[in-house]
Every structure is written in structure tokens, then in C-alpha cells.
């Protein structure tokens, strides 16, 4: 065994670069607000660092190995890789829709990760810290955690009964690091936080560390131990390694090695509090043993609670980020999470509190302030910012407050005290608002000469506008979309460009120049109406309802994007059109709903099945969408759908006809007859329709397929991923003319092979009399990946 005298202190931060990470998310369930929380916090930090001119690398990703995923996939009737791919896509897709600015997204099933993790394992073994032994004890599959105690012991983290495992394993000499770790914590008081986490970790280590089993033989879904392939590497060793493998650790490639040198050690691992032991004990010990510098800090956020419990899939008390985004926008969600919950503490999420915060701070606060000033600049100065002229005591006071706010906001934010930072900033919002009201530039008292009044209007509007510019610059990392809108309205161009030019590094009073042309006023945060809470609840209830209907039908729903699918229905639904299930859930997510959701969790979370379209002939590769219900992916219906659910009329299982596989005729190539009005075409429900995931994509590459005169090979960009699609349109479209065009694709069609090439999706086109396709497109600007519903 080599010496364990590894770094006692972690290196001081290099200001020129910053590397931060989220935990990598398990792919056994779709993302919910709890997952979005950590990722949003990281995004805000990353944006601020970049805007300060610091070269930043923001990593996120998915944790795809282990017994838990293997079992979930098995229950869903999928291979673990298929299962993981679909769920990983859900996380990445959501991060993209929320506009999160990650630089890299790692999947632990990627080759770069496998190579790096094996390299780390081999290094630990070569340095004498891994040995072979046998383990008999308790294991919690849900937390992938070894637990001390006799058979029947419950997991201290999740309360589930552990399983007894008896295997020959490789062990890591964790016990050798007890003293080293304690010394390290003492020498680096800023390493972990908050204080509660620090105390908990230290007391865990003081309680004594046992060697840790770092391989498993009883299942195979993992990374093989190099040189002994019947073992797979313990999923937490595998997962933690992602922070280095994503930078190129273990690669022979020069560019990877340079990147690793540049960004490692990480400046910040942001994690949820329940995984601090893995990050603050195991991870530093692995790194010390491997002779690799330790991360500079690990900070734990508290839990997002909903209905009195940690928001989690197994509790059935989750809220989707999409729901809030749909009704109030992503910025509202970001603001609420960072303002409402002191970082490090648990925080309650409630739609009521969210809407209240939104209306008071965003709609009536910042949004209203911006709109007042922009409107008045237009009304009194034709949209051109006037010269402020000489300052009075009122302007000087506002300027001094703004300068103090700039000084206070940064350190509070950097301490992850976002709530305090925002409170300080909103005090400036309120002060600016008060200044405006007190100055009343819209009202000329009878005894004030016209010229004097115009001078006051100019002074007040220029000063208030400058205060708003400061507020907007500071809040940009937290409200990036809204800040971008204000920046444009203030004639400042794109805030993203300003961020690239480190605008936060030199933020000071006086940046707004007289003569700047303001853009037309545009709404920022429309006031949330009374029914906003209900609408969000309906969306969530609809989501639960589709779980129940799915359970009753035995078919997987359009699960790949069930959240959005449910959203589509719910937004249009009138509040009074609540279902019995939704009524139950509104009253605290009713017990029936919860139970069923829980029972189904393993497989209703399963990825989308195909739309049930058989591979058609190449010539018809552009078929228009044929709606067909999915073939049941799991046939456990009878067992899983309790009778009381099936009785409720709204919840009755879909008719058999709806589930019947599509008739061949429905899939036939478009015929002339299609131009005739539809004759008795089979009706479908909204739930059938939403199974089809239609998305906006852009064609990046278009080329003919050799020896197939009808086929084009396309590479399309969905914003959140790129795909290859084969389309039978070569006789009608010149490939080069298609490049750059935005089209509509069916994104959840099962892949199929044509001429040895895999096609992942289908284009939508109208079919003319002679069979010629006309690709569907848009007249307005649409973002890539937008869903059609
Ligand atoms: N895969 C491991 C992490 C490996 S990191 C090398 C894991 N995954 S997880 O999907 O279960 O959780 C990922 C993160 O989401 C954790 O930080 C966890 O705390 C966070 N959250 C999941 N539910 C949450 C809340 N309800 N509230 C706040 N964060 C929550 O653990």
C-alpha cells in the first residue's frame, strides 16, 4: 500500500477558471422539481461566474448503472440501456427546455466514463488500497448503500428494508482514511457545508470507518472490474468518478488530458444533503488513495418538501418543473426556489406560495417597475433616454443604495446565500419604485414651470432606468430570460453577449448613456390570475390521472414526455372540468392516487414505446403520422389496477378498440383518397394524441443514400439532441436545399433500420395527389425541440 499522506489542504482557487457539478441523476424516474432545484442553483452560479469573466465548466448528467436501474428496466420490459437512454433524455430534454447552461452532460454508460472509472479502480488497486474479500451483510438497493445490522434492518436513509447480500467482493481500505479525513476537514473548514452537513459527516467519520465493498457479482449492469469481469464496480465509485471522467480522466488523448489539468480539482460539487456521506467521506478517500487533488468544496442543498414530505417519486408527491414553466415561466420557478428557500435548509414548495411570490416580487415588483419606466421614457421622451442633469439628494440616495447593493449582492450570492442576496436586491427594487412614486414625473403641479418639469422627468427617468439596469445585471444569473428582455427594452442589445464580455466584473453606476433608444415596452411578468394555482394543480393532477389511466389500460403512456403531454390537456381544461382523481389529489394528492402511483412507479415511468408503426417500405418512409395506441409494454393490468379506480367513469380503462393495434390500412402509403374528406375515420382521444411526441427540428445534414434513389439521410437538431432520420423524399427535395430548414418530426417513434442505417424518427409532411410530400414547417420563429400540441 502506498503512503496515504495525500494533500492535507486543497489548493487555493484559481480565479481564472471554475468547475462546478450537479449530482448525476438516477434514471429510474422522470425528473421532478427536486432534481431541477440543484441543477437550477448550479446554473445560476455558472452564469454569474461566466459573466465575471471566469472560464467556467458546468457539468451535469445521469447515473445509469446499478441494481436499481437494472430492476426498473426489467420491470418495464426494457434493456437497462434502452431504459436509461430514454430517461437520460428526459433529464437532458428538461434541462434544455428550462434553458440550463450546462457545458457537458455525462452519461455513465458512455465509453469515456467506463474507461476513466476502470482507470481509477486499477489505480486504487495498484496503489494497494483495494483487496479481495467476501461480504455478507445488508444492502439498500434504492440508495445503493451498504447498511450495518442484521437481516431485516431498515435503510437509515429511505426506511426500506434492506436485502441480505453475500458475495465475494473487492474492498476499498476506507478504514485507513479515518484520521486523514478528520485532519483534512479540520484544515479545510470551508470544504463542506452547510454546518449541519459538516457536523454530520465529521461525526460519521469519528464513529469509525469500515472498509467498503466496491464491487458486486450478483448482477451485471455496471462497469466491469478491469481484469476480473465477473465483478462490476460499486455504483457509487462508478458515479463519483463522473466528475473526473467527464473532463477526460483516464484518457490517453492529449486534449482530454489538458482539459483535465485545466479544470480539476472541481471548485464545487453541489449535492442534495442525503448524499453528503458519499461526497464528503468516500470521494475524498478515493481521491487521497489515488493521489489525486480533492475538490475544493462540497455544498449540500436541503430538500424540497411537498405535502409535508420530501418530494420524491416513491412518495407520489412530486411536482414537475414543466408545470410551473407552463403557467408562470422558468424564471418564476428559478426566482421562487432561490428566494424562498434559504440554501441548505429544507423548503416547502406550494403553488400558493409560488403565485404569491410571483405576483408580489415579479409582477407587481420588478416587472411593474420596468414597465413604468419604459412606458414613461416612450411617453415623455419618444423612447430616447434623456440626459439626467444635476443630481438632487433623492438621486444621490438612490445611487448610493445601488452601489451598496452591488457590494452586498456578490458576496451573499457567492456564499450561496441566494435568498439574502435577492432580498437585498429587491430592497433596491422597492426603493427605486418609491423614488419614482415620490418624484411623480407624470404629474406637473400648477406652480412648476414646464421646463423645470421636463428637467425633473429627465432626471428621474434616467436615474430610475440606471437603477433598473444595475438590478437587471445583478439578477441576470437568476432570471436570465427576463433580464434578457429588459436589456433589449433598454436598448442594451443581448445580455448574453454582455455576459460573454464579463459585464458583471465592471458593473458600476452610470453605465446607461443618454440618447439610448429604448425598444417598445413588452410584458415581463403578466400578473398571475386567481386560477393560476388551480391550473397548475390541474396539470399535476392530469399527470397523476394519466398514470392511473395507463395503469388501467396496461399500456405505457407516451411516457417519454408524459409531463408535457399531460400539460397540454390540462392547460386547455377548464378548472371546473376536474376529474374525481384530480379532486382527490387537490386535497393533498389523494390516497388512491398516491397508492397507485407508488405501485406503478417502476414501470409507468418507463420510456415511451413506439407509436406502433411497423417499418414501412423505404419509398413511404415519410408516411404521415398514423395514430395508434401502443402495444402494452407491461401486461400486468389486472393485478395492478384496483377495482375502485376502474369504476370511476373518468378513470375507466380505455376501450379495447382504442388499444387495438393499428390496421394495416391506416399505415398504407398516402393515396389520392387522402385528399377526400375523411370518411368515418376512427376517433381518438386527447390521450391517444399526446402519445405522439411531435417536435420542431432543424435539418443540419441532408444527403442521398447510395443505391436508394428515394431515400435521404438527414441529421436533425432537436435542441436537446441530434438524430439521424431516413426519409423517402429524395425524388421531391434537393438535399442541399433542405439544410437549415425547420421541420416537424415524430420524436418518439421506435428506431428502425433501412439499408443498414438507423432511422430515429419520422418527418411530417402533407401528401399530395401524386404522392409528393410537402414538409410541414412554420411561418414564425420557433425554438428547436418545441413540442406541437
Ligand atoms: N445518483 C445519485 C447521485 C450520484 S452523484 C455522483 C443520486 N441520484 S438521485 O437522482 O437520487 O438524486 C440526485 C439529486 O437530486 C440529489 O442531490 C438529491 O438530493 C436531489 N433531489 C432529489 N429529490 C429532491 C428533493 N425533493 N429536494 C431536493 N433535492 C432532491 O442520489
Amino acid at each position: 500500500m502506498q503512503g496515504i499522506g495525500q494533500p492535507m489542504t486543497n489548493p487555493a482557487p484559481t480565479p481564472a477558471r471554475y468547475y462546478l457539478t450537479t449530482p448525476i441523476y438516477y434514471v429510474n424516474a422522470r425528473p421532478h422539481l427536486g432534481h431541477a432545484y440543484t441543477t437550477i442553483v448550479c446554473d445560476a452560479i455558472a452564469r454569474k461566474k461566466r459573466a465575471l469573466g471566469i472560464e467556467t465548466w458546468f457539468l451535469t448528467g445521469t447515473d445509469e448503472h446499478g441494481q436499481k436501474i437494472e430492476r426498473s428496466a426489467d420491470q418495464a420490459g426494457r434493456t437497462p440501456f434502452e431504459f436509461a437512454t430514454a430517461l437520460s433524455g428526459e433529464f437532458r430534454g428538461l434541462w434544455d427546455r428550462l434553458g440550463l447552461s450546462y457545458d457537458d452532460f455525462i452519461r455513465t454508460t458512455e465509453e469515456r466514463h467506463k474507461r476513466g472509472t476502470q482507470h481509477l479502480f486499477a489505480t486504487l488497486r495498484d496503489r494497494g488500497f483495494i483487496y479481495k474479500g467476501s461480504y455478507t451483510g445488508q444492502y439498500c438497493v434504492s440508495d445503493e448503500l451498504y447498511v450495518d445490522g442484521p437481516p431485516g434492518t431498515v435503510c437509515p436513509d429511505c426506511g426500506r428494508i434492506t436485502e441480505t447480500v453475500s458475495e465475494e467482493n473487492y474492498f476499498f481500505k476506507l478504514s485507513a482514511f479515518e484520521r486523514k479525513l478528520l485532519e483534512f476537514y479540520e484544515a479545510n473548514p470551508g470544504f463542506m457545508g452547510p454546518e449541519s452537513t459538516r457536523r454530520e459527516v465529521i461525526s460519521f467519520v469519528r464513529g469509525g470507518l469500515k472498509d467498503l465493498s466496491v464491487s458486486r457479482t450478483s448482477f451485471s449492469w455496471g462497469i466491469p472490474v478491469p481484469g476480473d469481469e465477473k465483478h462490476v464496480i460499486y455504483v457509487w465509485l462508478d458515479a463519483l468518478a463522473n466528475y473526473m471522467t467527464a473532463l477526460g480522466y483516464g484518457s490517453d488523448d492529449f486534449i482530454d488530458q489538458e482539459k483535465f489539468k485545466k479544470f480539476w480539482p472541481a471548485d464545487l460539487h453541489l449535492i442534495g444533503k442525503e448524499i453528503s456521506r458519499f461526497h464528503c467521506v468516500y470521494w475524498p478517500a478515493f481521491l487521497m488513495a489515488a493521489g489525486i487533488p480533492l475538490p475544493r468544496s462540497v455544498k449540500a442543498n436541503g430538500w424540497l418538501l411537498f405535502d409535508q414530505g420530501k418530494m420524491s417519486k416513491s412518495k407520489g408527491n412530486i411536482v414537475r418543473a414543466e408545470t410551473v414553466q407552463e403557467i408562470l415561466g422558468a424564471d418564476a420557478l428559478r426566482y421562487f426556489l432561490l428566494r424562498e428557500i434559504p440554501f441548505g435548509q429544507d423548503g416547502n414548495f406550494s403553488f400558493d406560495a409560488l403565485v404569491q411570490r410571483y405576483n408580489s416580487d415579479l409582477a407587481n415588483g420588478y416587472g411593474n417597475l420596468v414597465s413604468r419606466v419604459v412606458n414613461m421614457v416612450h411617453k415623455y421622451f419618444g423612447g430616447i433616454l434623456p440626459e439626467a442633469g444635476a443630481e438632487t439628494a433623492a438621486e444621490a440616495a438612490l445611487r448610493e443604495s445601488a452601489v451598496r447593493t452591488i457590494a452586498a449582492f456578490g458576496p451573499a450570492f457567492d456564499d450561496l446565500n441566494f435568498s439574502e442576496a435577492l432580498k437585498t436586491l429587491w430592497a433596491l427594487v422597492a426603493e427605486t419604485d418609491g423614488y419614482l412614486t415620490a418624484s411623480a414625473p407624470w404629474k406637473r403641479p400648477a406652480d412648476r414651470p414646464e421646463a423645470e418639469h421636463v428637467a425633473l422627468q429627465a432626471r428621474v427617468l434616467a436615474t430610475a432606468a440606471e437603477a433598473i439596469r444595475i438590478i437587471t445585471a445583478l439578477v441576470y444569473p437568476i432570471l436570465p430570460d427576463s433580464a434578457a428582455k429588459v436589456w433589449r427594452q433598454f436598448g442594451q442589445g443581448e445580455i448574453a453577449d454582455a455576459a460573454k464580455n464579463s459585464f458583471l466584473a465592471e458593473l458600476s453606476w452610470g453605465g446607461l448613456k443618454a440618447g439610448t433608444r429604448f425598444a417598445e415596452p413588452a410584458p415581463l411578468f403578466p400578473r398571475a390570475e386567481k386560477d393560476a394555482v388551480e391550473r397548475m394543480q390541474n396539470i399535476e393532477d392530469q399527470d397523476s390521472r394519466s398514470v392511473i389511466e395507463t395503469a388501467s389500460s396496461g399500456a405505457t403512456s407516451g411516457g417519454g414526455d408524459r409531463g408535457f403531454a399531460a400539460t397540454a390537456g390540462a392547460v386547455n381544461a377548464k378548472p371546473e372540468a376536474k376529474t374525481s382523481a384530480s379532486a382527490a389529489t387537490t386535497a393533498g394528492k389523494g390516497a388512491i392516487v398516491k397508492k397507485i402511483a407508488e405501485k406503478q412507479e417502476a414501470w409507468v415511468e418507463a420510456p415511451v414505446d413506439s407509436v406502433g408503426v411497423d417499418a414501412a417500405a423505404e419509398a413511404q418512409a415519410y408516411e404521415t403520422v398514423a395514430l395508434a395506441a401502443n402495444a402494452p409494454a407491461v401486461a400486468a393490468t389486472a393485478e395492478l389496477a384496483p377495482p375502485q379506480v376502474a369504476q370511476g367513469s373518468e378513470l375507466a380503462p380505455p376501450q379495447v378498440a382504442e388499444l387495438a393495434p393499428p390496421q394495416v390500412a391506416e399505415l398504407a402509403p398516402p393515396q389520392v383518397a387522402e385528399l377526400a374528406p375523411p370518411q368515418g375515420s376512427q376517433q381518438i382521444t386527447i390521450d391517444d394524441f399526446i402519445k405522439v411526441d411531435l417536435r420542431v427540428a432543424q435539418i443540419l445534414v441532408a444527403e442521398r443514400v447510395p443505391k436508394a434513389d428515394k431515400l435521404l439521410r438527414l441529421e436533425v437538431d432537436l435542441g436537446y439532441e441530434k438524430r439521424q432520420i431516413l426519409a423517402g423524399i429524395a425524388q421531391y427535395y434537393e438535399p442541399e436545399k433542405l439544410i437549415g430548414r425547420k421541420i416537424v418530426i415524430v420524436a418518439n417513434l421506435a428506431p428502425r433500420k433501412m439499408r443498414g442505417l438507423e432511422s430515429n424518427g419520422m418527418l411530417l409532411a402533407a401528401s399530395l395527389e401524386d404522392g409528393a410530400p410537402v414538409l410541414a414547417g412554420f411561418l414564425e420563429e420557433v425554438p428547436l425541440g418545441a413540442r406541437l400540441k
Side-chain angles (χ1 to χ4, degrees), residues 23-26 32 34-35 37-38 63 236 239-240 242-243 271-275 279 301-304 310-312:
I24 48 171
Y25 300 97
Y26 283 134
H32 58 68
H35 304 116
Y37 177 42
T38 318
D63 188 354
W236 270 100
L240 289 160
N242 92 88
Y243 301 132
I271 59 165
K273 65 178 183 182
E274 81 284 9
I275 53 176
H279 284 80
N301 60 253
W303 287 340
L304 222 51
K310 180 190 176 202
M311 195 179 283
S312 79

Side-chain angles (χ1 to χ4, degrees), residues 20 35 68 84-85 142 148 168 284 307 342 361 445 512 553 559 579 634:
L20 78 169
H35 304 116
K68 170 155 87 172
T85 301
S142 178
D148 283 340
E168 185 196 54
D307 286 347
D361 293 14
L512 204 50
S553 74
T579 63
V634 178

